[in-house]
Amino acid sequence: MRPSGRNADQLREIKFTCGFTKHAEGSVLVEFGETRVLCTASVDVNNVPRFLKGKGEGWITAEYGMLPRSTHSRMGREASQGKQGGRTMEIQRLIGRSLRAAVDMKALGENTITVDCDVLQADGGTRTASITGGFVALSLAIKHMLNKKQIKTNPIHGQIASVSVGIYQGIPILDLDYAEDSQAETDMNVVMNDASAFIELQGTAEGHAFRKEELERMLELANSGIKQLLEKQQVALGNY
Amino acid sequence: MRPSGRNADQLREIKFTCGFTKHAEGSVLVEFGETRVLCTASVDVNNVPRFLKGKGEGWITAEYGMLPRSTHSRMGREASQGKQGGRTMEIQRLIGRSLRAAVDMKALGENTITVDCDVLQADGGTRTASITGGFVALSLAIKHMLNKKQIKTNPIHGQIASVSVGIYQGIPILDLDYAEDSQAETDMNVVMNDASAFIELQGTAEGHAFRKEELERMLELANSGIKQLLEKQQVALGNY
Amino acid sequence: MRPSGRNADQLREIKFTCGFTKHAEGSVLVEFGETRVLCTASVDVNNVPRFLKGKGEGWITAEYGMLPRSTHSRMGREASQGKQGGRTMEIQRLIGRSLRAAVDMKALGENTITVDCDVLQADGGTRTASITGGFVALSLAIKHMLNKKQIKTNPIHGQIASVSVGIYQGIPILDLDYAEDSQAETDMNVVMNDASAFIELQGTAEGHAFRKEELERMLELANSGIKQLLEKQQVALGNY
Amino acid sequence: MRPSGRNADQLREIKFTCGFTKHAEGSVLVEFGETRVLCTASVDVNNVPRFLKGKGEGWITAEYGMLPRSTHSRMGREASQGKQGGRTMEIQRLIGRSLRAAVDMKALGENTITVDCDVLQADGGTRTASITGGFVALSLAIKHMLNKKQIKTNPIHGQIASVSVGIYQGIPILDLDYAEDSQAETDMNVVMNDASAFIELQGTAEGHAFRKEELERMLELANSGIKQLLEKQQVALGNY
Amino acid sequence: MRPSGRNADQLREIKFTCGFTKHAEGSVLVEFGETRVLCTASVDVNNVPRFLKGKGEGWITAEYGMLPRSTHSRMGREASQGKQGGRTMEIQRLIGRSLRAAVDMKALGENTITVDCDVLQADGGTRTASITGGFVALSLAIKHMLNKKQIKTNPIHGQIASVSVGIYQGIPILDLDYAEDSQAETDMNVVMNDASAFIELQGTAEGHAFRKEELERMLELANSGIKQLLEKQQVALGNY
Amino acid sequence: MRPSGRNADQLREIKFTCGFTKHAEGSVLVEFGETRVLCTASVDVNNVPRFLKGKGEGWITAEYGMLPRSTHSRMGREASQGKQGGRTMEIQRLIGRSLRAAVDMKALGENTITVDCDVLQADGGTRTASITGGFVALSLAIKHMLNKKQIKTNPIHGQIASVSVGIYQGIPILDLDYAEDSQAETDMNVVMNDASAFIELQGTAEGHAFRKEELERMLELANSGIKQLLEKQQVALGNY
């Protein structure tokens, strides 16, 4: 029995609120149950990082942050501590790589899109919510660029989403919340595209090492969860 | 005529959503028109800064941040730049001083409350919204402490709120939004209590120096605006 | 009775030693009683910050520091702590804004002047001494530029000075020294120009909130003090 | 055909030089072909991080660094840049988690072991070499503690090693060197124990997303490579 | 012929103004010609660095800084750059070591003295002026401690001073000013005690390597200069 | 009797392993007994620091680091502490100055060579080993540039090496190891060229001040030691 009362293969309630803030070219509040992340995509036209100058290609990058009291007990603010922690760096690198895998950089032209994922409230799975919501924010920003004729063709060549899976009391489960995650024996974050292929796979044995059969069962759960997330992204983008 | 179409002495629509996030002892989303700030108050029981150890007094401190795309064009994230800018420091010191002026530190006991003000969307007046919302978050956290019997008496000895005033095209106006603020000749932030006395007064001549009569007119506007804000705080706290 | 024995409306002894150091284009040691601040103005010809490039305008900026043992007990050196504190940032932003209000940036041309205010000895009122002395250093640097024909017309369009006022044991007083400041119920820093108009106004209630009548009395004291400071600046500049 | 001329399932030449430096309780130079990493394990007796004080448990942590000219072109030294990059943080967190998975923290007692992995020469696979060599250094340090009677029982409850796998020109291959890695379509780092179970799995699609069958073939390669590494670790530890 | 017009073995005009600032236990403005350094010694009673706790010994440390416009063209402020440069670190370590060599740490008891050397105006030889003035500030602080009965016996067991020597156009000269120093072929800083023995010797060949005979001639010059400085320190301390 | 059992004028065993790593243009592992430093010289063609742009001159710079467990007890990693310590800065400045003294910057052309000295194992004398090994790495890099025709003539106009001398139990000795250095009364690092002239001289009295006769005896020892080191450098460079 999961603490959340959900079935092993059941996602939390997923919600996308597109246009949550007004300044960003793409903005969405994504909710995976009680986890709420504000994802914004900011377009920097005709500007790319130094290593890409003059190559005719664009760039997608991501930054991640948690509000100090998004968590159970207050965390120190990274800005006042003078640096981003290792966990933050690891997560924002993961988000950036995942989103870049969905975009044709040539078609994006010499433009940069920065996706900010800021956690307003954390209840497990902030990185998978960030990637899943980040893709929506990115899509909205691309739509904006197409409308503004800043690019001619849609550079998105695939749809991506992400979910966590894990092993809780010996049973593989989908989309762990904080109560489940903090007691899970294994925790895995999976990013997949709409062709059911893998973009990123990051599994960590917390309690005991996981066997091949367990891995396979987790990947099946992830696949089914991601299919649902891809549909919900489509609905959100279609309705906005 | 103001860009916002408001009368010279008219506030924007003010809204408090108490309990906006669930982990903090006090949490409120405050909106001054399109400016939206998430204020959370976090209680650290039986812990005070080193300089207060053993003195039987508590402490209130504040931190302020803007999400990177809360603004018109994306700002660099302070956490990744490795330090908080001067403006951030100046604002969070102002919020902290203002809130401390409302609380009896002896009655608070050896406990610390940290008020985080994070700007989700900026449209002028983020510091006055932060102080006004910060007071609500602080009050909720104090109520929580009283319920938990962490303190015996309510240490809040006054109610405070804050609003900006300025001179726009020669005319003193109340509660400037971004379009007004960016063209104002003078900008003043006023913090007052429920006895119509001043806690903080920070006026800056942007375009031309302001005369005594202009100052007086601005202070009258501030006084009337703050009275309305104090009432709205009461309603919000009463309803929650 | 003030700890200093001065009348409520009496300034400390004010002294300007122009040319205190030899390298800077403008240099003055300003003394407000025992408070001593070395102000230097450094001219950077044909160079402006990035955001002003090509606009035909100049820039004035300020930096502030305290020598570690300028104070009663030794303060940590900010350079070895790796960052400037919030108070330092707040003060140098105030000095910069105040001095910019005295100068026509078009007439300054694409040149930058940096005013450094370094406190050799602190006894209250270091920020007001910095602004008042900073204006003298700035004027000397402008004179140097005119002599060198780096600019054609004097870009200074107003004279400014600054003084503190406060409420000590219920009585409004002028130009607080450390002993007075540390016990004052209210502390206000005022920057005015030679037309008796306000450039900056920063008032803080330390002990109890201040009422409108108290504010008015403090502003009168400030006005009279600033008039005397403006005269002393004139004498100092005339004699050098 | 691999650039290295190796078979798809062939490791590079693996070499462990135990006792490479003399001060550390455990020290080994590990070589995966031309990749050379100096791993040292330092014991801090009767000292644990603050969050473990008084819990009767120990801690294993890892740090990772590259000498500036361990790479093809010189990288900036992180110490002079004032911070560790995201890649460094990500890698040292991975090493630390992996090694902790091999140790019973209760049996380690209130002692901390820090494993430093410093890359003298890089040719691909520095993180897998670091984990594989780090385990050897850790084992030597544990042996030292047992000899010194600082602990009573061996806290190591499993043996671990790590290898990379990837897809190069459509073909899954084992233990990529730099030339292969920089052109691989998928890159996966696998950490396993001596029960053929997974400790960590980190796969990234660089060029195209990878399918389930490709994942399975890569995991088989990893399993066979890790078996060989575990044997070589045993030989190295047995001979020293 | 020296640019300064001095004889090869002639010091600049040396001046000590004891009690230049009022808060420090020891304070002196030292002038070597146009080079002016404010040296203050701050006593921290019953406090020593962690590595000395409980050993019954004291500590002397030094910090060095240059005001931004103490130099010909303005230098960036180290506090705003977020770190002290290598030259600053090197100099303050030299000052600290030199002063410690004059004091018996046991007799100092568990007290720390921090000597701050802040350059108000630089014209060559700031580190030698800092050491020479630092010794005076230190002596004044020790005198203060004796008067306050914080220590029983004078812990100073030797008198020290410092001067630079160099080779300018092939000729060894004493106490180089900036014009001489910037063209010197060799630059050497010498710290000696009142027994004509060496505390520190730091020679650098700027243009060509220096021979043994040149070294000897420079050391003679240093010896004669330091004798004069030791006398002037005595006079200054005696008169105060 | 020296702890090492060596004669007063005896060097430790000196060893150079050229080509220790493969990526650097010049690479050598230098050993002074148990002290082992990896020196690499990296060539940056057609690139010089800003202050040299367009002057037709090159630049040599050095960086120094110690692996965390190169020392008896583990030192914190400077990269994770966020800054280089004062000792590191002082040493790398010394290495850089020494190596620059051996090279004609005009003949080097607008190219920069960075010499990294990383201590793998420390047993006293790491800075003298770094300079002595750094010269070998630099020579190898220059040879590489000549082979690649990046420069036409050899810009090295002198050979340099470095050794430490000191006074141990009253007796001047050569090339101190850690056990000797930590108890020495005086410690001096000497850099000389092949004309027996001085490049750098840095002597520090640790216990008691040293007299002129002691200095002379130490310099003789240094001279004899450096002659041997220069020969060994020649052999190492000749054999490679």
Side-chain angles (χ1 to χ4, degrees):
Chain A
M1 217 40 171
R2 300 174 66 160
S4 62
R6 283 183 280 146
N7 296 334
D9 65 351
Q10 193 180 344
L11 288 175
R12 288 178 279 184
E13 191 178 353
I14 306 297
K15 209 167 141 191
F16 299 95
T17 309
C18 293
F20 187 76
T21 55
K22 69 172 183 176
H23 297 304
E25 285 75 25
S27 167
V28 66
L29 180 74
V30 60
E31 301 177 60
F32 275 40
E34 294 276 23
T35 289
R36 283 191 257 162
V37 183
L38 174 51
C39 305
T40 59
S42 298
V43 178
D44 194 358
V45 177
N46 290 331
N47 198 8
V48 286
R50 184 180 306 240
F51 68 92
L52 282 179
K53 296 263 186 233
K55 299 203 175 163
E57 291 178 41
W59 189 241
I60 313 275
T61 186
E63 295 197 4
Y64 171 92
M66 297 184 89
L67 293 195
R69 198 54 196 280
S70 59
T71 45
H72 220 264
S73 54
R74 187 178 183 274
M75 299 189 325
R77 187 178 289 266
E78 290 186 322
S80 73
Q81 290 168 339
K83 62 174 178 179
Q84 294 180 303
R87 180 184 169 276
T88 295
M89 295 249 203
E90 193 174 301
I91 292 176
Q92 68 194 9
R93 285 162 56 88
L94 171 66
I95 302 170
R97 283 197 310 269
S98 298
L99 295 178
R100 281 193 293 277
V103 177
D104 174 349
M105 294 301 163
K106 287 278 180 202
L108 181 56
E110 293 212 348
N111 303 297
T112 297
I113 300 179
T114 302
V115 177
D116 286 288
C117 299
D118 285 278
V119 179
L120 303 189
Q121 188 170 280
D123 189 34
T126 63
R127 77 190 74 186
T128 55
S130 293
I131 293 167
T132 305
F135 180 80
V136 173
L138 176 65
S139 299
L140 293 169
I142 295 283
K143 202 181 282 192
H144 180 270
M145 292 178 83
L146 286 163
N147 288 342
K148 291 267 179 184
K149 306 210 185 300
Q150 292 163 342
I151 46 177
K152 285 179 195 158
T153 58
N154 191 333
I156 295 182
H157 57 55
Q159 187 185 344
I160 67 157
S162 176
V163 78
S164 74
V165 285
I167 297 176
Y168 177 81
Q169 298 192 348
I171 299 168
I173 57 174
L174 177 68
D175 187 22
L176 290 69
D177 62 27
Y178 177 77
E180 294 161 350
D181 186 42
S182 58
Q183 292 186 285
E185 294 133 30
T186 288
D187 180 25
M188 182 172 304
N189 294 293
V190 183
V191 187
M192 294 178 83
N193 66 13
D194 50 354
S196 289
F198 298 101
I199 305 294
E200 288 276 341
L201 202 61
Q202 296 200 339
T204 295
E206 307 269 350
H208 75 270
F210 52 101
R211 294 181 308 277
K212 189 131 188 299
E213 313 82 72
E214 291 172 319
L215 171 62
E216 274 167 16
R217 178 65 189 130
M218 288 192 283
L219 294 180
E220 277 165 31
L221 283 174
N223 195 10
S224 92
I226 281 172
K227 273 191 183 137
Q228 297 172 60
L229 291 168
L230 292 167
E231 264 173 55
K232 287 171 198 285
Q233 286 175 328
Q234 287 289 4
V235 172
L237 285 166
N239 290 344
Y240 187 68
Chain B
M1 218 37 170
R2 298 174 68 162
S4 63
R6 284 183 280 145
N7 295 335
D9 64 351
Q10 192 181 345
L11 288 175
R12 287 177 281 184
E13 190 178 353
I14 306 297
K15 207 166 141 192
F16 298 95
T17 308
C18 293
F20 187 75
T21 55
K22 69 172 183 175
H23 297 303
E25 284 75 25
S27 167
V28 66
L29 180 76
V30 61
E31 300 177 59
F32 276 39
E34 294 276 24
T35 288
R36 283 192 259 161
V37 183
L38 174 51
C39 305
T40 61
S42 298
V43 178
D44 193 0
V45 177
N46 290 330
N47 198 8
V48 287
R50 183 180 307 238
F51 68 92
L52 284 178
K53 295 264 184 228
K55 299 202 173 164
E57 290 178 41
W59 189 243
I60 312 277
T61 186
E63 295 197 7
Y64 171 91
M66 298 184 89
L67 293 195
R69 197 55 196 279
S70 60
T71 45
H72 221 265
S73 55
R74 187 177 183 275
M75 300 189 324
R77 187 179 289 266
E78 289 184 322
S80 72
Q81 291 167 340
K83 64 174 177 178
Q84 294 181 303
R87 179 182 170 278
T88 295
M89 294 249 205
E90 194 174 302
I91 292 176
Q92 67 193 11
R93 284 163 58 87
L94 171 67
I95 301 170
R97 283 197 311 269
S98 299
L99 295 177
R100 282 192 292 277
V103 177
D104 174 349
M105 293 301 163
K106 287 278 180 201
L108 180 56
E110 293 213 350
N111 303 297
T112 297
I113 300 178
T114 302
V115 177
D116 286 287
C117 300
D118 285 276
V119 179
L120 303 190
Q121 188 171 277
D123 190 34
T126 64
R127 76 188 76 187
T128 56
S130 293
I131 293 167
T132 304
F135 179 80
V136 172
L138 176 63
S139 300
L140 293 170
I142 295 283
K143 201 180 285 190
H144 180 270
M145 292 178 84
L146 286 163
N147 287 343
K148 291 268 180 184
K149 304 211 185 301
Q150 292 163 342
I151 47 177
K152 285 179 194 156
T153 57
N154 191 333
I156 295 183
H157 58 54
Q159 187 185 345
I160 66 157
S162 175
V163 79
S164 73
V165 285
I167 297 177
Y168 176 81
Q169 298 192 346
I171 298 167
I173 58 175
L174 177 68
D175 187 23
L176 289 70
D177 62 25
Y178 178 76
E180 294 162 350
D181 186 42
S182 58
Q183 291 186 288
E185 294 133 32
T186 287
D187 179 26
M188 182 171 304
N189 294 295
V190 184
V191 187
M192 295 179 83
N193 66 13
D194 51 354
S196 290
F198 297 101
I199 304 294
E200 287 277 340
L201 204 61
Q202 295 201 340
T204 295
E206 308 271 350
H208 75 269
F210 53 99
R211 295 181 309 278
K212 188 133 187 303
E213 314 81 72
E214 291 172 319
L215 171 62
E216 276 168 11
R217 179 65 189 129
M218 287 192 284
L219 295 180
E220 278 166 30
L221 283 175
N223 195 9
S224 94
I226 281 172
K227 272 192 182 137
Q228 297 172 60
L229 290 169
L230 293 167
E231 263 173 56
K232 286 171 198 285
Q233 286 174 328
Q234 288 288 4
V235 172
L237 286 166
N239 290 344
Y240 187 67
Chain C
M1 220 34 172
R2 300 173 67 161
S4 64
R6 284 183 279 146
N7 295 335
D9 65 350
Q10 193 181 343
L11 288 176
R12 287 177 280 183
E13 190 178 354
I14 306 297
K15 209 168 140 189
F16 298 95
T17 308
C18 293
F20 187 76
T21 54
K22 69 174 183 174
H23 297 304
E25 284 75 26
S27 167
V28 65
L29 180 75
V30 60
E31 300 176 61
F32 275 41
E34 294 277 22
T35 288
R36 284 190 259 161
V37 184
L38 174 52
C39 304
T40 60
S42 298
V43 178
D44 193 358
V45 177
N46 290 329
N47 197 8
V48 285
R50 184 180 306 239
F51 68 92
L52 284 177
K53 295 266 184 229
K55 299 203 173 163
E57 291 178 40
W59 189 243
I60 313 276
T61 187
E63 294 197 6
Y64 171 92
M66 299 184 87
L67 293 195
R69 197 55 196 279
S70 59
T71 44
H72 219 266
S73 55
R74 187 179 183 273
M75 298 189 325
R77 187 178 289 266
E78 288 185 323
S80 72
Q81 291 168 339
K83 63 174 178 178
Q84 294 181 304
R87 179 183 170 276
T88 295
M89 294 248 205
E90 193 174 302
I91 293 176
Q92 67 194 12
R93 284 163 56 89
L94 171 66
I95 301 170
R97 284 197 310 269
S98 298
L99 295 177
R100 281 193 292 277
V103 176
D104 175 349
M105 294 301 162
K106 287 278 179 201
L108 180 56
E110 293 212 348
N111 304 297
T112 297
I113 300 179
T114 302
V115 177
D116 286 287
C117 299
D118 284 277
V119 179
L120 304 189
Q121 188 171 278
D123 190 36
T126 63
R127 75 189 77 188
T128 56
S130 292
I131 294 167
T132 305
F135 180 79
V136 172
L138 176 64
S139 300
L140 293 171
I142 295 283
K143 200 180 283 191
H144 179 270
M145 291 178 85
L146 286 164
N147 287 343
K148 290 269 180 182
K149 305 211 185 298
Q150 291 163 343
I151 46 176
K152 285 180 194 157
T153 58
N154 191 333
I156 295 182
H157 59 54
Q159 188 185 344
I160 68 158
S162 176
V163 78
S164 73
V165 285
I167 298 177
Y168 177 82
Q169 298 192 346
I171 298 167
I173 58 174
L174 177 69
D175 187 23
L176 289 70
D177 62 25
Y178 178 77
E180 294 162 350
D181 187 42
S182 58
Q183 292 186 287
E185 294 133 30
T186 289
D187 179 25
M188 183 173 302
N189 295 293
V190 184
V191 187
M192 296 179 81
N193 66 12
D194 51 354
S196 289
F198 297 101
I199 304 295
E200 287 278 341
L201 202 62
Q202 295 201 340
T204 295
E206 309 269 352
H208 74 270
F210 53 100
R211 294 181 309 276
K212 188 134 189 300
E213 315 81 72
E214 290 172 321
L215 172 62
E216 275 167 15
R217 179 63 189 131
M218 287 192 285
L219 294 180
E220 279 166 29
L221 283 175
N223 195 9
S224 94
I226 281 172
K227 273 192 183 135
Q228 296 172 61
L229 290 169
L230 292 167
E231 264 174 53
K232 286 172 200 284
Q233 285 174 329
Q234 288 289 5
V235 173
L237 285 166
N239 289 345
Y240 186 66
Chain D
M1 220 36 172
R2 300 174 67 162
S4 63
R6 283 184 280 146
N7 295 334
D9 64 351
Q10 193 181 345
L11 290 174
R12 288 178 280 183
E13 190 179 353
I14 307 297
K15 207 167 142 191
F16 299 95
T17 308
C18 293
F20 187 76
T21 55
K22 69 173 183 177
H23 297 305
E25 285 74 24
S27 167
V28 66
L29 180 76
V30 60
E31 300 176 61
F32 275 40
E34 294 277 23
T35 289
R36 282 191 259 162
V37 184
L38 175 51
C39 304
T40 61
S42 298
V43 178
D44 194 358
V45 177
N46 291 330
N47 198 8
V48 285
R50 184 179 307 237
F51 69 92
L52 284 178
K53 295 263 187 231
K55 300 203 174 163
E57 290 178 41
W59 190 243
I60 312 276
T61 187
E63 295 197 4
Y64 170 92
M66 297 184 90
L67 294 195
R69 197 55 196 280
S70 59
T71 44
H72 219 265
S73 55
R74 187 177 182 275
M75 300 188 325
R77 187 179 289 266
E78 290 185 322
S80 71
Q81 290 168 340
K83 63 174 177 177
Q84 294 180 302
R87 180 184 169 276
T88 294
M89 294 248 203
E90 195 175 301
I91 293 177
Q92 66 193 11
R93 284 163 56 88
L94 171 65
I95 301 170
R97 283 197 311 270
S98 299
L99 295 178
R100 281 193 293 277
V103 177
D104 174 349
M105 293 301 164
K106 287 279 179 200
L108 180 57
E110 292 213 349
N111 304 297
T112 297
I113 301 179
T114 302
V115 177
D116 286 287
C117 300
D118 285 277
V119 179
L120 305 189
Q121 188 170 279
D123 189 34
T126 64
R127 77 189 74 187
T128 55
S130 293
I131 293 167
T132 306
F135 180 80
V136 172
L138 176 64
S139 299
L140 293 170
I142 295 284
K143 202 180 284 191
H144 180 270
M145 292 178 85
L146 286 164
N147 287 343
K148 291 266 181 184
K149 306 208 185 302
Q150 292 163 343
I151 46 177
K152 285 179 195 157
T153 57
N154 192 333
I156 296 182
H157 58 52
Q159 187 185 345
I160 66 157
S162 176
V163 79
S164 73
V165 284
I167 297 176
Y168 177 81
Q169 297 192 349
I171 299 168
I173 57 174
L174 177 68
D175 187 22
L176 289 69
D177 62 26
Y178 178 76
E180 293 161 351
D181 186 42
S182 58
Q183 292 185 286
E185 293 132 31
T186 287
D187 180 27
M188 182 172 303
N189 294 292
V190 183
V191 187
M192 295 178 84
N193 66 13
D194 50 355
S196 290
F198 297 101
I199 305 294
E200 288 276 340
L201 202 61
Q202 295 200 340
T204 296
E206 307 271 350
H208 75 271
F210 53 100
R211 295 182 308 278
K212 189 135 188 299
E213 314 81 71
E214 291 172 320
L215 172 62
E216 276 168 14
R217 177 65 189 129
M218 287 192 285
L219 294 179
E220 278 165 31
L221 283 176
N223 195 10
S224 92
I226 282 172
K227 273 191 183 138
Q228 296 172 60
L229 291 168
L230 292 167
E231 264 173 54
K232 287 171 198 285
Q233 287 175 327
Q234 288 289 4
V235 172
L237 286 165
N239 289 344
Y240 187 67
Chain E
M1 220 35 172
R2 299 174 67 162
S4 63
R6 284 183 280 145
N7 295 335
D9 63 351
Q10 193 181 344
L11 289 175
R12 288 177 280 183
E13 190 177 355
I14 306 298
K15 209 165 139 191
F16 299 95
T17 308
C18 293
F20 187 76
T21 55
K22 70 173 183 175
H23 297 305
E25 285 74 25
S27 167
V28 66
L29 180 75
V30 60
E31 300 177 61
F32 275 39
E34 294 277 22
T35 288
R36 282 191 260 161
V37 183
L38 174 52
C39 304
T40 61
S42 298
V43 178
D44 194 358
V45 177
N46 290 330
N47 198 7
V48 285
R50 185 180 305 238
F51 68 92
L52 284 178
K53 296 265 185 229
K55 299 204 173 163
E57 292 178 39
W59 189 243
I60 312 276
T61 186
E63 294 197 6
Y64 171 92
M66 298 184 89
L67 294 195
R69 197 55 196 279
S70 59
T71 44
H72 220 265
S73 54
R74 188 177 182 274
M75 299 189 325
R77 187 178 290 266
E78 288 185 324
S80 72
Q81 291 168 340
K83 62 174 179 178
Q84 294 180 304
R87 178 183 170 276
T88 295
M89 294 247 204
E90 193 175 302
I91 293 176
Q92 66 194 11
R93 284 163 56 89
L94 171 65
I95 302 170
R97 283 198 311 269
S98 298
L99 295 178
R100 281 193 293 277
V103 177
D104 174 349
M105 294 301 163
K106 287 278 180 200
L108 180 56
E110 292 212 350
N111 303 298
T112 297
I113 301 179
T114 302
V115 176
D116 286 288
C117 299
D118 284 278
V119 179
L120 304 189
Q121 188 171 276
D123 189 35
T126 64
R127 76 188 75 186
T128 55
S130 293
I131 294 167
T132 305
F135 180 80
V136 172
L138 176 65
S139 299
L140 293 170
I142 295 284
K143 201 181 283 191
H144 180 270
M145 291 178 85
L146 287 165
N147 287 343
K148 290 268 180 182
K149 305 211 185 298
Q150 292 163 342
I151 45 175
K152 286 179 192 156
T153 56
N154 191 333
I156 295 182
H157 58 53
Q159 188 185 343
I160 67 157
S162 175
V163 77
S164 73
V165 285
I167 298 177
Y168 177 81
Q169 297 191 347
I171 297 167
I173 58 174
L174 177 68
D175 187 22
L176 289 70
D177 62 25
Y178 178 76
E180 294 161 350
D181 187 42
S182 58
Q183 292 185 287
E185 295 133 30
T186 288
D187 180 25
M188 183 172 301
N189 295 293
V190 183
V191 187
M192 295 177 83
N193 66 13
D194 50 354
S196 289
F198 297 101
I199 304 295
E200 286 277 341
L201 203 62
Q202 294 200 341
T204 296
E206 308 270 352
H208 74 269
F210 52 100
R211 294 180 309 275
K212 189 132 189 300
E213 315 81 71
E214 290 172 320
L215 171 63
E216 275 167 15
R217 178 64 189 132
M218 287 192 284
L219 294 180
E220 279 166 29
L221 282 175
N223 194 10
S224 92
I226 281 172
K227 275 193 181 134
Q228 296 172 60
L229 290 169
L230 292 167
E231 265 174 53
K232 286 171 199 286
Q233 286 174 329
Q234 287 289 5
V235 173
L237 285 165
N239 290 346
Y240 187 67
Chain F
M1 219 36 170
R2 300 174 68 162
S4 63
R6 284 183 279 146
N7 296 334
D9 63 351
Q10 192 181 345
L11 289 175
R12 287 178 280 183
E13 190 178 354
I14 306 298
K15 207 166 140 190
F16 299 95
T17 308
C18 293
F20 187 75
T21 56
K22 69 171 183 176
H23 297 305
E25 285 75 25
S27 166
V28 66
L29 179 76
V30 60
E31 299 177 60
F32 275 40
E34 294 276 23
T35 289
R36 283 190 259 162
V37 184
L38 174 51
C39 304
T40 60
S42 297
V43 178
D44 194 358
V45 177
N46 290 330
N47 197 9
V48 286
R50 184 180 307 240
F51 68 93
L52 283 178
K53 294 262 186 233
K55 299 203 173 163
E57 291 178 41
W59 188 243
I60 312 277
T61 186
E63 296 197 4
Y64 171 92
M66 298 184 89
L67 293 195
R69 198 55 196 279
S70 59
T71 45
H72 219 265
S73 54
R74 188 178 181 274
M75 299 189 324
R77 187 179 289 265
E78 290 184 322
S80 72
Q81 292 168 340
K83 63 174 177 177
Q84 294 180 304
R87 179 183 169 277
T88 295
M89 294 250 204
E90 194 174 302
I91 293 176
Q92 67 194 12
R93 285 164 55 89
L94 170 66
I95 302 170
R97 283 197 311 270
S98 298
L99 294 178
R100 282 194 291 278
V103 176
D104 175 350
M105 294 301 164
K106 287 278 180 200
L108 180 57
E110 293 212 349
N111 302 298
T112 297
I113 300 178
T114 302
V115 177
D116 287 287
C117 299
D118 284 276
V119 179
L120 303 190
Q121 187 171 280
D123 189 35
T126 64
R127 76 188 76 188
T128 55
S130 293
I131 294 168
T132 305
F135 179 79
V136 172
L138 176 64
S139 299
L140 293 171
I142 294 284
K143 202 181 284 191
H144 179 271
M145 292 178 84
L146 285 164
N147 287 343
K148 290 266 181 185
K149 306 214 184 298
Q150 292 164 342
I151 47 177
K152 285 180 196 158
T153 57
N154 191 333
I156 296 182
H157 57 54
Q159 187 185 345
I160 67 157
S162 175
V163 78
S164 74
V165 285
I167 297 177
Y168 177 80
Q169 297 193 346
I171 298 167
I173 57 173
L174 177 69
D175 187 22
L176 290 70
D177 61 26
Y178 178 76
E180 295 162 349
D181 186 41
S182 58
Q183 291 186 288
E185 294 133 30
T186 288
D187 180 25
M188 182 171 302
N189 293 293
V190 184
V191 187
M192 295 179 82
N193 65 13
D194 51 354
S196 290
F198 298 100
I199 303 294
E200 287 277 340
L201 202 62
Q202 295 201 341
T204 295
E206 307 272 350
H208 74 270
F210 53 99
R211 295 182 308 277
K212 189 136 186 301
E213 313 82 72
E214 290 172 319
L215 171 62
E216 275 169 13
R217 178 65 189 129
M218 287 192 284
L219 295 180
E220 278 166 30
L221 282 175
N223 196 8
S224 93
I226 281 172
K227 273 191 182 138
Q228 296 172 60
L229 291 169
L230 293 167
E231 263 173 56
K232 286 170 199 286
Q233 286 174 327
Q234 287 290 5
V235 172
L237 286 166
N239 291 345
Y240 187 66

